Each structure stands twice: as structure tokens, then as C-alpha cells.
């Protein structure tokens, strides 16, 4: 019977074990023995097939070596590791819409750019303005304001009128151009090829229109293109710089308008200040993030700001005021504190300085007796006041938040100025 069992097929083997017992035992026992027979037959066929395949491989190699248990376990583990990714892989586009959107929102810019190279569907999803606006706010929100966006759009309009906006050579190639911002990313290889001087700092471009983007750049009208232009140092954007010219003593506790260019190699900015009278524009390298702010007002640097806070100023209030050396110069903003009138004893319960038509403005980083220490302005009829000797004072802006005040005080000089 045993030889017959070994060579029988699965149905025959099952029948040989089940039929003899069926005549003498209850049906339940017959069923259980039939299941056991099926399992035994399955194991027998499996091992027979494995042995036959192993013998064939050994004959082909001319070797008959039995692998050790350790090697067999190692081979089995490696095979399982190769199979796991395929089994665990889930098509990204099969995710629910909200889940996929959330995944893309969490990707950093280099990963988002790489994802856009996968397929047309992901390219369209990864290039939406809503995704890139998040990255613009996250990285550039401290330095890019409405004026920078407006200037970028004006530059695009000028290039469009001149026919200088190239069409991409291939639709998904724009992600390659983003790689310039992340030199250690795998997608940067194509960008850096052919750029023999990529490690050298690029010279500051002349004050001409922004050069046209390369054919591999993202669509020029997209937020991704704006992000790339700033990140790669291709766009001079307007902002304001504290303590210009590296804290020159003549500009301590001031903030001036400038155009800035980002240098991703040093993570700093180059500031270009507008000409002062007949003096040419000056540039300053190595400007740190902490010295830059978005202009809080839209008033151009050469225009007088219309002060709307004069009636609200009280002693102890913090403010910034426009000042310029002469009328050919642009205004800068200077930090100060509202002071008391001379007859006032500075008692908060008896002080009536806020009822006076004149407001005392103090710049306490200058020594007492200095001509820069104090000045007064009229609440009712404030205009630009001053002369060629002491300069001209312009509009006033009251500081409303502790954050603004603490930012100014970070630049307080170590020594009193004269």
C-alpha cells in the first residue's frame, strides 16, 4: 500500500486512505482523516517538487553541494526582503484625494520637484501654486512681501512683451532646474552638468532686467518659478535692511530700502542700496536674515509718509521716523521713543504731554547734548522739517507690537553715540 501511496496522485491517495475507514468508522472520523490525508499529500508533492528542482540545478552546475542551514536561512531572508517592497507597494495615485494632497503638502521643495518628474499626473499636481505658496511663505515670508511679488509680476510682464519668455522644451523638465537650489539632491546632477564654475560665487548681475529663465525652468507665471528665481539668485527683490553697510556708525538703529539677491552657498544676501544724490548705488555682501524685513508700508523711499498716529503718541511710545541727509537722498527709517516736555516731571499721573501740540522725539542711543538726541514735531501740521545741517525729518509710524520693538532693540549699540 505504501508504494502505491507515494506514486499516487492527490485524488487517488485521498481515496485509498478514506475508503477503508469509511466502512467501519463514523462519518466525522472519516472526514477528519480525509483532511489529514490531503495535508500529507500536499506536503509530499511540495517536497518532491523541491527535491527534483534542486537535483536539476546541481546537475547543471556539476556540483552536488548541500547548503548549510545558515546559508539556507540567509538566502530565504534575502528572498523575503526582495519580495517585501513589491508586496507592500501601494500606487500613490490610488490614494484618496485628500490623503494624496496631504502627502504632497508635507514634501520639501526638492522632493516635490523630484515627484513632478514621475508622471504627467503627478507633474500637474506637484506644480500647483497652492503647494509652492506654502514653501514661499515658509522660507521667504520674512523677506518677501507684496512689493516683491508685484515687482516679479512686472518683470514677467516686461519679458512677455519683449518675447523673452521661452516655452519649456519638455513639460516636466522644470523640476531639473529647481535642483540648482539643492546641490546635494540627486535631481541636481543634470543642472550641475556643464556648469564648470558652479562652485564659484556668481558675480552680482548689473542692474538690468532679470535674465530669462532657461528652457528647463518651470512655467514663468507659476509660483514655482518665483521660488526658483529667488532661491537660485536670479531675482533682485525689494526689502529693507537694518543697520546698512554692516552697521556703519552713521546708520545705527536705522532701516533702509534696498534690493536683495540671495546667495544659496552662504545663505546670505547681497544688498544694493539706491544712489544717494550723486553717489552711485552701494552694495553690501553677507547680509544676514536677521537684518532684513518686509517693508511695513508701501511708501516709496523718496516720498513723505502721511503720518496718521500723531494724535495717539504718548511718552514712552516706540516709533520709527523717516530721515534723510538732504532732499536728494532717499528716506531711511530711524528708531526712537516719545519723550516728555521740559516742564513735565514725568509723573504718569500728572503728565499732560499728550495734550501738547508738540511731540518730543528722543533717540536715546545718542549721548545727552548731542544734536541728534532729540527733536520735536507738530501734531496738527506735521510736514517734512529740517535743514541741510541736521537733515530732514519726515513721516512717523508708531510701533504697535512687541515683536517690532524687540527687533529694533536687538541692534542697540554697545556704546552711546555722540
Amino acid at each position: 500500500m505504501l508504494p502505491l501511496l507515494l506514486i499516487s496522485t492527490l485524488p487517488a491517495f485521498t481515496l485509498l486512505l478514506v475508503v477503508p475507514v469509511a466502512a467501519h468508522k463514523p462519518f466525522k472520523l472519516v472526514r477528519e482523516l480525509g483532511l489529514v490525508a490531503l495535508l500529507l499529500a500536499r506536503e509530499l508533492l511540495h517536497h518532491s517538487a523541491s527535491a527534483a528542482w534542486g537535483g536539476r540545478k546541481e546537475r547543471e552546475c556539476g556540483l552536488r553541494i548541500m547548503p548549510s542551514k545558515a546559508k539556507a536561512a540567509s538566502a530565504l531572508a534575502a528572498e523575503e526582503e526582495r519580495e517585501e517592497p513589491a508586496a507592500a507597494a501601494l500606487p500613490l495615485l490610488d490614494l484618496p484625494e485628500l490623503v494624496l494632497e496631504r502627502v504632497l503638502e508635507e514634501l520639501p521643495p526638492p522632493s516635490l520637484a523630484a515627484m513632478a518628474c514621475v508622471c504627467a499626473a503627478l507633474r500637474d499636481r506637484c506644480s500647483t501654486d497652492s503647494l509652492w505658496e506654502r514653501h514661499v511663505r515658509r522660507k521667504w515670508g520674512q523677506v518677501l512681501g507684496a512689493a516683491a511679488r508685484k515687482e516679479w509680476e512686472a518683470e514677467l510682464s516686461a519679458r512677455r512683451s519683449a518675447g523673452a519668455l521661452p516655452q519649456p522644451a519638455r513639460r516636466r523638465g522644470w523640476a531639473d532646474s529647481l535642483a540648482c537650489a539643492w546641490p546635494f539632491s540627486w535631481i541636481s546632477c543634470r543642472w550641475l552638468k556643464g556648469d564648470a564654475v558652479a562652485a564659484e560665487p556668481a558675480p552680482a548681475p548689473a542692474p538690468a532686467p532679470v535674465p530669462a529663465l532657461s528652457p528647463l525652468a518651470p512655467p514663468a507665471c507659476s509660483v514655482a518659478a518665483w521660488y526658483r528665481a529667488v532661491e537660485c539668485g536670479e531675482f533682485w527683490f525689494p526689502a529693507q535692511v537694518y543697520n546698512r553697510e554692516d552697521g556703519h556708525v552713521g546708520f545705527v538703529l536705522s532701516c533702509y530700502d534696498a534690493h536683495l539677491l540671495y546667495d544659496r552657498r552662504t545663505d546670505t544676501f547681497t544688498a544694493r542700496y539706491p544712489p544717494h544724490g550723486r553717489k552711485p548705488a552701494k552694495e553690501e555682501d553677507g547680509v544676514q536674515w536677521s537684518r532684513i524685513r518686509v517693508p511695513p508700508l508701501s511708501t516709496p523711499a523718496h516720498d513723505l509718509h502721511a503720518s496718521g498716529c500723531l494724535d495717539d503718541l504718548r511718552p514712552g511710545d516706540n516709533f520709527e521716523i523717516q530721515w534723510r541727509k538732504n532732499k536728494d537722498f532717499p528716506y531711511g527709517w530711524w528708531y526712537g521713543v516719545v519723550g516728555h516736555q521740559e516742564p513735565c516731571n514725568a509723573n504718569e499721573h500728572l503728565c499732560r504731554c499728550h495734550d501738547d501740540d508738540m511731540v518730543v522725539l528722543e533717540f536715546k542711543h545718542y549721548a545727552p547734548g548731542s544734536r541728534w538726541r532729540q527733536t520735536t514735531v507738530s501734531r496738527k501740521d506735521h510736514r517734512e522739517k529740517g535743514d541741510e545741517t541736521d537733515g530732514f525729518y519726515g513721516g512717523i509710524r508708531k510701533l504697535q507690537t512687541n515683536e517690532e520693538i524687540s527687533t529694533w532693540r536687538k541692534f542697540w549699540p554697545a556704546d552711546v553715540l555722540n
Side-chain angles (χ1 to χ4, degrees), residues 10 12 33-34 47 67 116-117 147 155 248 253 256 310 346-347 382 417:
L10 181 60
L33 290 175
H47 289 292
C117 297
E155 173 58 33
H248 186 283
L253 283 185
Y256 273 79
L310 293 175
N347 186 311
H382 175 55
L417 307 177

Side-chain angles (χ1 to χ4, degrees), residues 315 339-354 356 360:
H340 291 270
Q341 301 285 347
E342 279 191 22
C344 181
N345 60 4
N347 186 311
E348 61 178 345
H349 300 292
L350 302 177
C351 177
R352 291 293 179 266
C353 294
H354 57 276
D356 200 290
V360 177

